[in-house]
Amino acid sequence: MVNLKGTVYRVSGPVVTATGIKPAMYDIVRVGDERLMGEVIQIEGEYSIIQVYEDTSGVKPGEPVENTGLPLVVELGPGLLTSIYDGIQRPLEVLQDKMGHFILRGVDVPGLDHSKKWEFKPLVKKGDAIKPGQVIGTVQESTSILHKIMLPPNVEGGKVTDVKAGSFTIEETILTLDNGAKVAMMHKWPVRKPRPFAEKQLPTIPLITGMRILDGLFPIAKGGTAAIPGPFGSGKTVTQQSLAKYSNAQVVVYIGCGERGNEMTEVLTEFPVLEDPQTGNPLMARTCLIANTSNMPVAAREASCYTGITIAEYYRDMGYDVALMADSTSRWAEAMREIGSRLEEMPGEEGYPAYLSARLSEFYERAGRCTVLNGGEGSISVIGAVSPAGGDFSEPVTQATLRIVKVFWALDAKLAQRRHFPAINWLQSYSLYPEYLASHYAEHAAPDWNETKAQIMEILQKEAELQEIVQLVGSDALPPEQQVTLETARLIREIYLQQNAYDKVDAYSSLQKDYKLWKAILRYQTLSGAALKMGATTKELTGLAAVTDLARARFEAKFEEAYAAAMKGLENAFTEMAAKAKKHEVLA
Amino acid sequence: MAAKTPAAPAAQTTQKEYRTISNVKGPLVFVQKTHAVGYGELVQLRLPNGQTRRGQVLDTSGKHVVVQVFEGTTGIDNDKTTVKFLGETIKFGVSKNILGRVFSGAGAPIDGGPEIIPDDYRDIIGAAINPYSRASPHDFIQTGISTIDGNNSLVRGQKLPIFSGSGLPHNDIALQIARQAKVRGTDEAFAVVFAAMGITNEEAKKFMGEFERTGALKRAVIFQNLADDPAVERLLTPRLALTAAEYLAFDLGMHVLVIFTDVTNYCEALRQIGAAREEVPGRRGYPGYMYTDLASLYERAGNIKGKKGSVTQFPILTMPGDDITHPIPDLSGYITEGQIVISRELHRKGVYPPINVLPSLSRLMNAGIGGHKTRDDHKKVSDQCYAFYAEGRDLRGLVAIVGKDALSSRDLQVLDFAELFENRYVRQGRDEDRSIEDTLDLGWELLATVDEKLLTRIDKKTIEQFHPKYKKAGTPVKAH
C-alpha cells in the first residue's frame, strides 16, 4: 500500500481530524511534525478521525499526517518476558534511556530488542512439511520459559528448504520455505485481531491461586474469566498482585491500565526478587508487564488491554497456561468513554459508549482453554479488576462484565475496614466453574473435597441468617446449638477465609492446607455439638487455647507439625471437658 | 487582574492580533479565521479597556479556535477585543527564589516582593513520570498525629488526601501536619508548596498567619486562588504548584510537601468548563475525563530513581453531604494511595483531630514501618487496635438495643477499649507532637486494659517484648 500523506484539519485533545489520507479503519497514522502515533477510529467522507497515543499539545491544523496503511501491531518473539511496556508496547526502560525520567513524545521504539542475539535450536529439518502454528524450534527466553518459535499463523505452510541453528537476532531469517517465505524469530500481529486456534475446550482444570477463599469456595478454571469489582481500598490490586505472584500459570501478563504509577514500581521492585512457588525462579522470569498509568495518554490506555491479550495469546499458542490480570477494566472503559465523547457519539448509560458491552465481551472471549493450531493445548485465564463508581455494583461496567465472566469475586469495603483480608464477600461472590472442576478436585485434592466445601458454605450461609437475629437480641439469647454454629462460622472467617498476603508463609496456601483447615474447623463443630449434649456450656467451648494454636499454625513454616499439635490439643481439650462433665453427673 | 507572570520569551514580533471573536460563552471564546494555531497554545486577549487576560486553546481547526479564558470573560466583546496566540504552552518561571513567595492562582507574584528572575521556564502540564523511573516510596514521615503515624502511616512520595466535610477542622490538621512533619533520623525540614483553590479570604489569612507564626513561610511557596477569583483560573493553580514542587524536589533535591485545598472547588471548575463546552457529562454532571484529569495532578507525587528530592501530596477535599461515594472523593480514592477520613461524629464529641481510622487507609504503610524504620510491633499494634475499635463501634449499636447487661465480658472489654481509643489515642492537642514511640506505647497502654488472651492479632513474642505487664517485669523495650 502507498503511504498517503494528508494534513491535520482539527485538534481537540487526543482526537485529531485529518484530511487527504484515505485510510482504512484502525490504520496507524503518523500525526504532525513530530510524527505522533495515532489510530484511525472513524471515517467521515474526506475526514479521518484519529485517536493519538501521545500528548497533542502544540499540534496545529495544516501539519502533515501520514498513513502507514498498517493496523496497530505488537512484535512477538523472544524478549517479551521480564519486559515492562507502555500501552502500545514501547519498552519503558528504553524510553527512560531515550528521554529521561519523564515520558515525552515523538519517540518510536520497537517492542523487542532487535540487536540482541538468541540461541535458536531448530526442531524441524530440511524437507519437512510444516503448517502455520507449528513449532519450528526453541529459544531459552528466561530461566522459566522455553520460548517456542512457531510458523506464524499469517504465513502459509510449505516444505522447509533451509533451516539454521545458532545465534541470531529476531529479524534474521532462520528458516525458508519452498513457497519463498522467509521466517524469523519475530513476527508482528495486529492487536485487535484474535489469534487463531484450532478448537476451544471446556475448562476442567482449576487455576490454583494459593488464596484459600478462591481455591476452596470460588475457584477459577484455567482458561476461565473472573471479575474483581470493589470500591477503592478494598484490595483489588493486592488480590491481583497475589494472583500474579502465586497462581500456577506458567506465564503472567499483568496490565496496569490507568492505575497508580507507584503500584507498577512495587511490582517492578518485588517481582525480580520474589520466587515463583512453582519453579523457584524469579517471578519476573515468567512475567510481562504493561503499564499505562492514569496520567499517561488515554488512547494508549485504550490499546493496552489489546496489547496485553495479544501477547497472552502468543504464549497460549506455544502451549502454555497464561494468566492475564487487567487492573482496571473500568479505566479502560473510561478511556473508551473519553474518546467516544470527543467524537460526539450518542452515549449509552452514564455517558459510556453504547458499544461498551460488546467491547468487553470481545475482550473476555479471547480467554479460554484451547487446542492450538499445532495440536497442543494452552489456556488464557483473564482476571479483570473493576472499579465501580461509588462502590455501586449496579453501574454499567460492572454489570456488562458480570454478564460475560463466570467468576465474581465481590470485594467488600466493610470487610476491608475491619481488616478482614482478602475482603472478598463470601455471600455475594460466585463461581460457575465447580461443575467442571469437581472431579479434578476429588481426584487431586481430597475425595470428599466437594462435600466438605458444601458443609463450609452451609455454615456461612447459616451464620448470615443467625446474625440478623443477633443484631436484635444479642448472641446470648440464642440456643446453645446455634451459638456453636456462630462460633464455627467465626472460625471459618478468621482461620480459613482470612489470609495475610504480606506474611511469607500464609501468603500461599496449598489445597492440602485448605482442606486440613476445613476439616479442623468441622471437627471443632462436631466435638462442640457432642460436648453440649454432655452438658458443657457455650462459655467452655469458646476461647480454647487449641483453637488459637490452630489459627497460629497457618503462619508456621512447618505447618504439618503445628497443625498436628493443635489438633491433638483440641481433642484433649474436649476429652477433658467430657471427663469434667461426667464428674458433675456423678456428683449430681 | 493583570497577568504579570513572566511569559517565556517568544518571537513576539511575528504574532498577529485578531479581532475575529464570534462567540463568547461562559469561560469560552470562539475565534474565527486565524492562522494555524497549535492545540494547548497560550492565548493573550486584550480587552477594550486595555486589560489583558490569558487563555488556552481547547480546540483548533481550520474553521475556528476555541479558547478557554482563565481569568474570566467579563468585559470581553466580539467587536473590539483582540486575541493573540503566543505559539507555546503555559509555562512557569522557576528559580530557587520562589521559596518564601506568594503567587496568585495564575502564577503572578502578589506579595509585593521583587520580580523573580527565572532559571528556567517549565511547562505546567507536567509529563508523566515513567513508571520504570520511579523509586518505591518507603521513608516513614512522622506527623506527630497518632491516628496517622500509628495506623495510616505516611511515606515520602505518597499522595494521601484528607476527605473531610464542610465545617470540619481539616485545615487545622493540614497545618499541624505541615508544621510537624519530619523524617526520623534527619533534621531535614520539608519545603511546603501550598495551593489554595477557591477558599475564602479568611481561610487564606489563617494559613498565611500560621506560616508566618511558625516561620514555615521561609521554606514555603504559596499559590492563592481565592473564592472570588475566576473559577477557571483554578485549573492552573494546582499545576503551577506542582511545577514549582517538581522543580524544588527533582532539580534542587528538596523534600516537598504539597497541600491542596480544596480539590472540590477545583472539580467544580472542571464541571463548569465541561458544561460550557456542551460535553457529554459523566456522573452528577462532572466530565467523563475527571478521573484522568485528577490523575494528572495526583500522579505527580513520587520519588525518582537517583534523585534526592521527593514530592509528597496532601490534598484536602470536602465531601459534598459527607458522602464518600460522591464522584470527587470516589475518583480521588481510586487514584491516591489511601485517604484520611475526618468524622463529623467524632468532631461533635469534641475529639480533635476527629480522624476516623476505620475508613482511613494508607496503602504504602507496610513499606514504611517496622524494624529499623519505626518499631517491630508497629503493624501488629495497629492491626489489633483496628480490630478492637471496629468491633467496639459495632457493639455500641448493639448496646443501644439490648443494653450492656446482655454483653459478654469480652464484649464489655472491647466496648471500653473503643471509648478509651477515641479519648486517649485519637484525641490529642493541636500542638501535641507525639513521636512514633509515644504513639505505640500509648497503643499498648490501651491494649493492656484488655485480657491478654484476646490479643489474637499479636504474636506471643511481640507481646512479651512490648506489653506493659512484661515491660514492668524488667524486660527492656528496645527502641530502634
Side-chain angles (χ1 to χ4, degrees):
Chain A
M1 194 184 228
V2 198
N3 288 1
L4 272 171
K5 289 192 179 171
T7 50
V8 172
Y9 171 74
R10 176 183 171 191
V11 190
S12 170
V15 174
V16 167
T17 311
T19 55
I21 48 172
K22 297 206 171 29
M25 270 298 262
Y26 297 118
D27 274 358
I28 289 294
V29 292
R30 297 287 176 174
V31 176
D33 297 328
E34 289 185 81
R35 297 176 53 79
L36 308 178
M37 192 166 162
E39 187 179 23
V40 174
I41 50 170
Q42 195 171 317
I43 302 169
E44 277 175 30
E46 57 176 315
Y47 298 109
S48 314
I49 320 273
I50 300 157
Q51 64 172 349
V52 180
Y53 294 130
E54 296 174 78
D55 179 35
T56 53
S57 289
V59 176
K60 300 182 178 113
E63 285 189 21
V65 176
E66 188 184 316
N67 182 13
T68 64
L70 297 169
L72 179 63
V73 293
V74 285
E75 293 190 347
L76 300 172
L80 289 167
L81 298 179
T82 74
S83 292
I84 175 164
Y85 294 115
D86 75 350
I88 48 174
Q89 211 206 7
R90 293 188 303 177
L92 290 176
E93 192 178 352
V94 181
L95 289 188
Q96 178 189 275
D97 296 342
K98 292 213 169 186
M99 45 194 189
H101 297 303
F102 291 89
I103 295 195
L104 306 174
R105 55 187 194 172
V107 178
D108 195 12
V109 211
L112 295 173
D113 187 340
H114 286 220
S115 56
K116 181 170 177 176
K117 294 213 170 199
W118 297 89
E119 194 63 33
F120 174 74
K121 289 187 190 139
L123 290 175
V124 293
K125 53 187 188 304
K126 207 168 153 181
D128 286 356
I130 58 170
K131 288 185 299 193
Q134 189 168 337
V135 178
I136 56 175
T138 58
V139 167
Q140 191 66 44
E141 181 178 6
S142 72
T143 44
S144 300
I145 293 295
L146 185 67
H147 193 107
K148 297 170 187 164
I149 307 290
M150 297 165 289
L151 186 64
N154 51 3
V155 173
E156 237 172 86
K159 268 206 175 113
V160 179
T161 54
D162 186 28
V163 60
K164 294 179 202 158
S167 189
F168 300 99
T169 68
I170 51 170
E171 282 179 309
E172 285 174 273
T173 302
I174 46 165
L175 180 138
T176 41
L177 291 177
D178 57 355
N179 59 17
K182 289 186 190 324
V183 180
M185 283 188 263
M186 183 261 290
H187 72 282
K188 294 182 181 178
W189 191 266
V191 297
R192 293 182 198 275
K193 187 175 160 195
R195 286 172 67 88
F197 50 86
E199 198 187 357
K200 280 221 173 162
Q201 304 289 343
L202 276 182
T204 53
I205 304 164
L207 181 77
I208 306 299
T209 63
M211 285 174 80
R212 282 191 286 272
I213 182 170
L214 306 187
D215 290 340
L217 305 181
F218 311 108
I220 176 173
K222 280 185 175 164
T225 50
I228 319 181
F232 60 82
S234 56
K236 282 183 298 295
T237 302
V238 178
T239 309
Q240 289 269 38
Q241 290 190 2
S242 267
L243 290 170
K245 285 176 196 165
Y246 303 117
S247 70
N248 66 345
Q250 291 155 304
V251 173
V252 170
V253 179
Y254 193 99
I255 310 171
C257 174
E259 288 285 311
R260 304 177 182 89
N262 277 335
E263 277 168 6
M264 294 318 290
T265 311
E266 200 184 314
V267 174
L268 272 177
T269 39
E270 269 192 353
F271 277 36
V273 288
L274 283 178
E275 255 181 32
D276 176 354
Q278 263 62 249
T279 62
N281 292 322
L283 274 177
M284 205 59 199
R286 66 167 195 182
T287 310
C288 175
L289 295 172
I290 293 166
N292 212 89
T293 56
S294 52
N295 56 342
M296 284 157 75
V298 288
R301 191 200 298 170
E302 197 268 336
S304 65
C305 284
Y306 294 107
T307 300
I309 195 125
T310 308
I311 293 172
E313 283 175 339
Y314 177 62
Y315 283 95
R316 171 205 67 193
D317 289 348
M318 293 180 208
Y320 287 117
D321 290 318
V322 185
L324 178 133
M325 282 81 192
D327 185 12
S328 147
T329 58
S330 291
R331 305 302 162 220
W332 180 46
E334 277 168 14
M336 282 184 230
R337 172 165 77 180
E338 197 171 330
I339 304 286
S341 100
R342 300 264 182 190
L343 297 180
E344 287 160 18
E345 287 172 345
M346 182 68 105
E349 241 179 306
E350 287 195 19
Y352 285 104
Y355 46 79
L356 169 72
S357 168
R359 291 272 174 91
L360 282 168
S361 341
E362 279 165 25
F363 174 72
Y364 280 105
E365 208 38 34
R366 289 173 79 167
R369 183 166 154 245
C370 308
T371 305
V372 296
L373 290 180
N374 58 35
E377 198 177 280
S379 71
I380 303 178
S381 316
V382 174
I383 296 141
V386 184
S387 319
D392 173 11
F393 290 171
S394 68
E395 60 91 41
V397 183
T398 315
Q399 285 305 312
T401 307
L402 289 183
R403 283 200 297 274
I404 315 153
V405 300
K406 299 284 184 288
V407 182
F408 172 45
W409 295 324
L411 290 171
D412 188 334
K414 279 225 179 80
L415 290 175
Q417 282 187 15
R418 289 155 184 276
R419 301 300 189 259
H420 173 115
F421 286 115
I424 296 169
N425 185 311
W426 51 92
L427 298 171
Q428 264 184 305
S429 304
Y430 61 78
S431 164
L432 300 180
Y433 290 115
E435 60 168 315
Y436 300 126
L437 304 177
S439 58
H440 187 277
Y441 274 116
E443 236 169 85
H444 294 89
D448 63 342
W449 174 278
N450 299 297
E451 295 74 23
T452 314
K453 169 188 157 187
Q455 281 176 300
I456 295 285
M457 274 314 279
E458 198 189 319
I459 296 167
L460 289 172
Q461 191 60 47
K462 193 99 193 172
E463 184 201 23
E465 288 162 23
L466 291 177
Q467 279 298 350
E468 283 175 26
I469 306 172
V470 171
Q471 292 297 321
L472 292 176
V473 297
S475 61
D476 281 2
L478 291 182
E481 299 78 43
Q482 294 191 340
Q483 289 190 40
V484 167
T485 308
L486 281 183
E487 181 66 9
T488 313
R490 193 179 69 81
L491 298 187
I492 299 178
R493 281 190 281 112
E494 291 189 358
I495 300 178
Y496 181 76
L497 296 178
Q498 286 191 23
Q499 191 174 354
N500 187 347
Y502 295 103
D503 184 273
K504 269 195 194 105
V505 177
D506 198 34
Y508 179 83
S509 184
S510 67
L511 292 186
Q512 274 63 37
K513 186 168 170 181
D514 299 357
Y515 178 74
K516 286 209 154 125
L517 291 175
W518 276 352
K519 282 291 180 193
I521 295 165
L522 291 174
R523 182 69 187 151
Y524 169 84
Q525 191 192 27
T526 316
L527 289 174
S528 299
L532 277 185
K533 283 208 183 93
M534 279 192 287
T537 61
T538 48
K539 217 171 219 145
E540 286 174 279
L541 299 176
T542 50
L544 292 176
V547 171
T548 315
D549 289 344
L550 181 68
R552 290 201 175 129
R554 294 176 300 168
F555 303 104
E556 296 295 332
K558 291 179 179 162
F559 169 74
E560 300 290 331
E561 281 172 29
Y563 176 81
M567 288 310 283
K568 206 171 154 199
L570 190 70
E571 299 289 344
N572 286 345
F574 277 97
T575 318
E576 269 168 42
M577 226 183 282
K580 219 161 86 190
K582 229 172 222 162
K583 219 191 234 164
H584 273 286
E585 236 166 67
V586 173
L587 285 178
Chain B
M1 187 184 356
K4 271 194 293 178
T5 322
Q12 302 280 342
T13 47
T14 57
Q15 282 158 2
K16 286 187 204 151
E17 287 200 49
Y18 294 95
R19 264 177 64 182
T20 50
I21 294 178
S22 59
N23 303 335
V24 185
K25 200 162 75 176
L28 305 182
V29 168
F30 295 73
V31 192
Q32 312 272 353
K33 294 182 214 134
T34 61
H35 64 274
V37 173
Y39 175 76
E41 242 181 62
L42 189 61
V43 182
Q44 196 177 65
L45 296 102
R46 191 178 301 279
L47 273 59
N49 64 7
Q51 271 186 2
T52 59
R53 302 262 168 89
R54 291 190 310 157
Q56 187 182 12
V57 174
L58 279 189
D59 193 327
T60 167
S61 71
K63 215 165 62 194
H64 62 226
V65 176
V66 182
V67 178
Q68 158 185 312
V69 183
F70 291 121
E71 289 123 335
T73 45
T74 316
I76 294 180
D77 64 353
N78 61 359
D79 177 30
K80 296 201 187 63
T81 304
T82 62
V83 181
K84 194 156 82 178
F85 298 97
L86 301 179
E88 51 172 37
T89 47
I90 303 175
K91 294 194 162 65
F92 180 63
V94 289
S95 119
K96 68 172 187 305
N97 298 325
I98 58 174
L99 277 172
R101 300 295 303 268
V102 184
F103 298 87
S104 74
I110 51 168
D111 53 359
E115 276 288 319
I116 284 163
I117 298 154
D119 292 336
D120 195 7
Y121 291 92
R122 294 283 162 88
D123 200 325
I124 68 161
I125 316 287
I129 301 177
N130 185 334
Y132 188 80
S133 306
R134 282 181 182 268
S136 288
H138 52 65
D139 292 326
F140 174 76
I141 298 177
Q142 180 176 300
T143 65
I145 295 175
S146 292
T147 36
I148 297 178
D149 294 351
N151 309 79
N152 297 286
S153 317
L154 175 70
V155 296
R156 259 196 315 222
Q158 186 172 11
K159 40 196 179 291
L160 190 64
I162 297 181
F163 286 6
S164 186
S166 11
L168 296 177
H170 42 263
N171 288 342
D172 291 351
I173 298 172
L175 276 168
Q176 190 171 355
I177 291 166
R179 201 164 57 229
Q180 298 179 170
K182 54 182 148 315
V183 169
R184 287 157 54 81
T186 66
D187 292 330
E188 267 175 287
F190 279 90
V192 175
V193 172
F194 176 73
M197 299 180 278
I199 63 170
T200 61
N201 207 307
E202 191 189 317
E203 286 171 297
K205 276 229 164 72
K206 185 170 174 189
F207 272 104
M208 291 305 296
E210 272 291 306
F211 286 140
E212 270 166 38
R213 184 177 73 85
T214 58
L217 193 58
K218 285 199 304 286
R219 47 184 179 90
V221 187
I222 291 158
F223 293 86
Q224 278 188 354
N225 165 283
L226 300 185
D228 56 348
D229 287 332
V232 191
E233 192 184 278
R234 251 155 247 170
L235 301 185
L236 295 182
T237 313
R239 295 188 163 84
L240 289 162
L242 286 165
T243 307
E246 279 169 1
Y247 177 77
L248 296 177
F250 302 132
D251 286 62
L252 303 185
M254 303 170 89
H255 294 291
V256 186
L257 194 65
V258 182
I259 300 174
F260 293 141
T261 184
D262 175 334
V263 175
T264 305
N265 293 333
Y266 172 83
C267 294
E268 297 291 326
L270 210 58
R271 176 162 72 174
Q272 195 182 334
I273 301 282
R277 292 177 67 185
E278 294 174 4
E279 289 166 346
V280 180
R283 226 161 47 105
R284 299 220 191 164
Y286 293 96
Y289 50 79
M290 193 157 90
Y291 175 83
T292 309
D293 190 279
L294 284 173
S296 74
L297 303 180
Y298 295 143
E299 276 290 322
R300 287 172 80 174
N303 307 331
I304 291 180
K305 275 184 210 161
K307 300 250 182 185
K308 195 169 154 268
S310 63
V311 176
T312 309
Q313 281 186 23
F314 242 108
I316 298 171
L317 60 89
T318 47
M319 299 182 278
D322 291 352
D323 176 10
I324 201 166
T325 67
H326 183 282
I328 298 171
D330 190 49
L331 294 178
S332 295
Y334 275 123
I335 307 163
T336 55
E337 283 136 355
Q339 66 278 338
I340 302 290
V341 181
I342 312 279
S343 146
R344 198 169 294 278
E345 186 201 326
L346 284 175
H347 181 59
R348 279 202 198 108
K349 282 189 184 168
V351 176
Y352 174 89
I355 293 172
N356 184 356
V357 296
L358 297 181
S360 300
L361 170 75
S362 165
R363 290 168 189 272
L364 302 180
M365 175 166 176
N366 287 325
I369 63 167
H372 59 283
K373 289 169 186 158
T374 56
R375 217 165 73 179
D376 285 328
D377 57 333
H378 192 154
K379 172 101 174 89
K380 285 170 182 142
V381 170
S382 168
D383 283 353
Q384 188 65 65
C385 288
Y386 253 112
F388 280 155
Y389 184 55
E391 205 180 326
R393 279 179 59 118
D394 283 351
L395 286 169
R396 281 183 195 165
L398 191 61
V399 168
I401 301 171
V402 298
K404 268 193 179 181
D405 296 346
L407 296 190
S408 64
S409 83
R410 175 202 154 89
D411 287 354
L412 281 172
Q413 289 185 47
V414 173
L415 191 69
D416 288 343
F417 176 88
E419 204 60 41
L420 279 174
F421 186 76
E422 284 177 5
N423 282 318
R424 299 270 315 277
Y425 189 90
V426 178
R427 185 198 295 275
Q428 67 185 87
R430 278 174 164 75
D431 280 309
E432 190 180 347
D433 188 356
R434 289 186 192 155
S435 74
I436 183 64
E437 284 82 9
D438 289 349
T439 291
L440 293 176
D441 289 346
L442 184 57
W444 275 111
E445 209 179 297
L446 302 191
L447 289 175
T449 63
V450 180
D451 195 348
E452 192 188 314
K453 217 168 62 189
L454 300 178
L455 304 179
T456 50
R457 306 247 173 170
I458 310 180
D459 62 274
K460 222 174 180 131
K461 210 179 115 216
T462 309
I463 289 181
E464 278 165 8
Q465 196 182 349
F466 294 99
H467 196 292
K469 192 171 98 190
Y470 299 96
K471 218 164 136 184
K472 274 188 200 118
T475 322
V477 175
K478 203 170 85 196
H480 291 269

